[in-house]
Amino acid sequence: MSEHSPEAADVIVVGAGPAGSTTAYYLAQAGMRVLLLEKATFPRDKICGDGLTPRAVRQLIAMGVDINAPGWIRNKGLRIYGGGVRLELPWPELATFPDFGLVRPRMDLDQLLAEHAVRAGAVLMQGTTVTEPIIDERTDRVTGVRTKDGREFHAPLVVAADGNSARLALAMGIRKREDRPMGVAVRCYYETPRHEDDYLESWLELWDGEKLLPGYGWVFGCGNGTSNVGLGLLNTSKSFQNTDYREMLRRWTAGMPKEWQFDEQHATGPIRGAALPMGFNRQPHYSRGLLLVGDAGGMVNPFNGEGIDYAMESGHLAADIIVQALARPTAAQRERALYEYPRILKEEHGGYFTIGRIFVKAIGDPRVMKFATRHGLPHPTLMRFTLKLLANLTDPRGGDAMDRIINAMTRIAPDA
């Protein structure tokens, strides 16, 4: 398929982040003619912590990405600071997930995944800003997209992987749900001797001198001479609307040991921030020929702010369902297959995200967070359970008692 024959596409995927590139990869693998449209030109940056838990690593392995190549740094668990305690928790040993995580800056990761999709057969068009869907007035279905420079691309199905902006979803009348949590994250890269670390590091209490700041922080060594240092704040906190997040990061890092070099003199760029759409905050995930994947569908874990794994999982699921749907002989049968996408998403993650909403509402009160860190962190068994819950790492069958408790909780919780 060439740039001059866009009408030949079976599927258009808008956005070449992890969600879009994963979708395009699996579609191309199945023989679909897929067009992947990306508004930026690689390499391009995205605001992220750059940490990949075993859940995301499983997706990379499934796609055949060479995670043993240079540029990946492995970690074996999570180091937590809080309540005067420093605790190192290894990733759980499970049949379903690997027992290690990774760090890879998004500047590299997104390009790598997009190129992986291209090798599978997807056509990538960079510097292509999609402004709106093309809707057939007769059927009220999406039949393609229109770009900023006036070009039109046509396909029977469109996948919106356009991130938190969700321009396509908004144009289709799919609105954000205000009863879902939203987070904000800011981060900066610093040249530091702490750039190699075999643990991801999470700070549950951020101190500015004697004052406790309303958020949580991270330090993820990138293995390339820099660390990704950032913090997140949830809209369940009373401080959400009235906080200068960049200044909050400066105040927090100012209290770090000087030899770590988390200061403006060693910053490799500005502090940058982004919103984190959590807990399926945009629904439905399928409507009239448009499927939402990743951040466009609010697929960030409310417990830990992780989105890459759910972006890739949703992309894989969407691709599988599209392939099945397009093989059906009638329009009614294709629609029936496509409506399985939101149903399976809710079945797999809905209950878990509901528990996450309850969790973030509770810790929005700093007194609750302070109590939890003071009294929970000194108990390693409780913290191992918490790690499994927060990172969504359990074996669905044949797991230990912790797995069975978490799985039971997610099954009985209402769908998100």
Side-chain angles (χ1 to χ4, degrees):
M1 181 177 62
S2 73
E3 183 175 330
H4 303 292
S5 58
E7 69 278 358
D10 295 315
V11 185
I12 294 170
V13 180
V14 180
S21 291
T22 301
T23 309
Y25 168 80
Y26 283 109
L27 288 170
Q29 281 281 90
M32 296 283 108
R33 294 168 296 181
V34 55
L35 188 61
L36 180 59
L37 306 180
E38 166 60 36
K39 66 180 179 181
T41 301
F42 290 112
R44 62 104 169 95
D45 197 13
K46 283 288 182 180
I47 313 307
C48 185
D50 300 335
L52 302 166
T53 70
R55 193 172 189 100
V57 175
R58 180 178 69 165
Q59 290 301 314
L60 292 169
I61 294 169
M63 284 177 66
V65 174
D66 183 5
I67 59 173
N68 295 309
W72 301 95
I73 178 170
R74 291 197 180 199
N75 56 75
K76 57 188 180 184
L78 183 68
R79 181 184 303 116
I80 300 174
Y81 287 89
V85 174
R86 175 183 182 273
L87 184 65
E88 291 186 347
L89 297 168
W91 297 119
E93 293 186 6
L94 299 166
T96 314
F97 299 97
D99 64 349
F100 63 92
L102 296 167
V103 174
R104 185 76 182 247
R106 292 288 297 274
M107 182 74 80
D108 298 334
L109 177 68
D110 288 21
Q111 181 172 358
L112 184 152
L113 293 178
E115 291 173 348
H116 199 65
V118 169
R119 284 193 295 273
V123 173
L124 171 65
M125 295 181 64
Q126 303 179 53
T128 304
T129 301
V130 171
T131 55
E132 60 184 346
I134 299 170
I135 301 174
D136 186 310
E137 293 182 3
R138 182 177 57 84
T139 62
D140 196 32
R141 287 180 61 84
V142 173
T143 59
V145 297
R146 191 172 288 113
T147 64
K148 189 176 182 180
D149 57 7
R151 288 178 292 171
E152 292 187 356
F153 300 94
H154 294 272
L157 290 173
V158 174
V159 176
D162 50 354
N164 184 52
S165 66
R167 182 174 288 175
L168 290 174
L170 285 170
M172 293 284 288
I174 303 174
R175 303 293 172 186
K176 185 170 67 175
R177 293 187 55 159
E178 299 300 333
D179 61 340
R180 298 296 188 260
M182 178 68 75
V184 168
V186 295
R187 65 98 171 101
C188 190
Y189 292 102
Y190 299 96
E191 294 177 349
T192 173
R194 290 207 57 203
H195 68 98
E196 291 186 322
D197 194 339
D198 53 6
Y199 280 84
L200 297 179
E201 194 165 277
S202 179
W203 295 65
L204 302 185
E205 292 178 327
L206 309 181
W207 292 95
D208 173 24
E210 297 298 315
K211 183 181 178 183
L212 181 63
L213 300 171
Y216 63 93
W218 69 80
V219 178
F220 297 162
C222 297
N224 60 359
T226 69
S227 278
N228 180 319
V229 182
L231 57 84
L233 185 66
L234 296 160
N235 66 352
T236 51
S237 167
K238 292 180 180 178
S239 305
F240 185 77
Q241 298 288 353
N242 305 305
T243 299
D244 182 337
Y245 304 104
R246 290 166 177 79
E247 181 58 28
M248 182 175 160
L249 178 62
R250 293 188 191 99
R251 285 156 54 196
W252 174 49
T253 55
M256 298 287 203
K258 295 295 182 186
E259 61 270 21
W260 292 1
Q261 301 178 177
F262 297 158
D263 52 49
E264 294 200 20
Q265 290 76 20
H266 295 91
T268 63
I271 298 172
R272 299 184 63 197
L276 302 176
M278 297 177 165
F280 291 160
N281 80 329
R282 202 175 296 278
Q283 297 182 39
H285 291 118
Y286 171 71
S287 177
R288 296 145 50 214
L290 182 74
L291 296 91
L292 310 185
V293 295
D295 284 8
M299 297 178 198
V300 174
N301 184 347
F303 282 106
N304 64 0
E306 186 179 16
I308 292 176
D309 46 2
Y310 301 98
M312 297 179 74
E313 287 179 24
S314 64
H316 191 176
L317 175 63
D320 285 350
I321 286 174
I322 287 169
V323 170
Q324 292 295 326
L326 291 182
R328 304 287 174 91
T330 70
Q333 289 173 330
R334 288 192 289 273
E335 282 297 282
R336 189 175 300 120
L338 289 165
Y339 275 107
E340 280 294 276
Y341 175 62
R343 188 194 68 77
I344 294 173
L345 275 178
K346 286 199 170 193
E347 184 180 85
E348 291 189 354
H349 303 304
Y352 177 78
F353 281 171
T354 295
I355 298 170
R357 294 208 318 271
I358 297 168
F359 172 82
V360 298
K361 188 173 183 179
I363 66 169
D365 185 334
R367 295 170 299 181
V368 174
M369 186 69 162
K370 188 173 182 179
F371 179 86
T373 54
R374 296 281 176 184
H375 297 282
L377 282 170
H379 299 282
T381 301
L382 175 60
M383 292 310 298
R384 284 194 295 273
F385 175 85
T386 304
L387 176 65
K388 282 192 168 190
L389 176 64
L390 267 59
N392 200 6
L393 296 173
T394 63
D395 278 328
R397 289 175 294 276
D400 62 15
M402 293 181 186
D403 292 3
R404 292 193 292 273
I405 292 169
I406 294 170
N407 294 339
M409 288 167 58
T410 59
R411 278 196 301 270
I412 64 175
D415 284 342

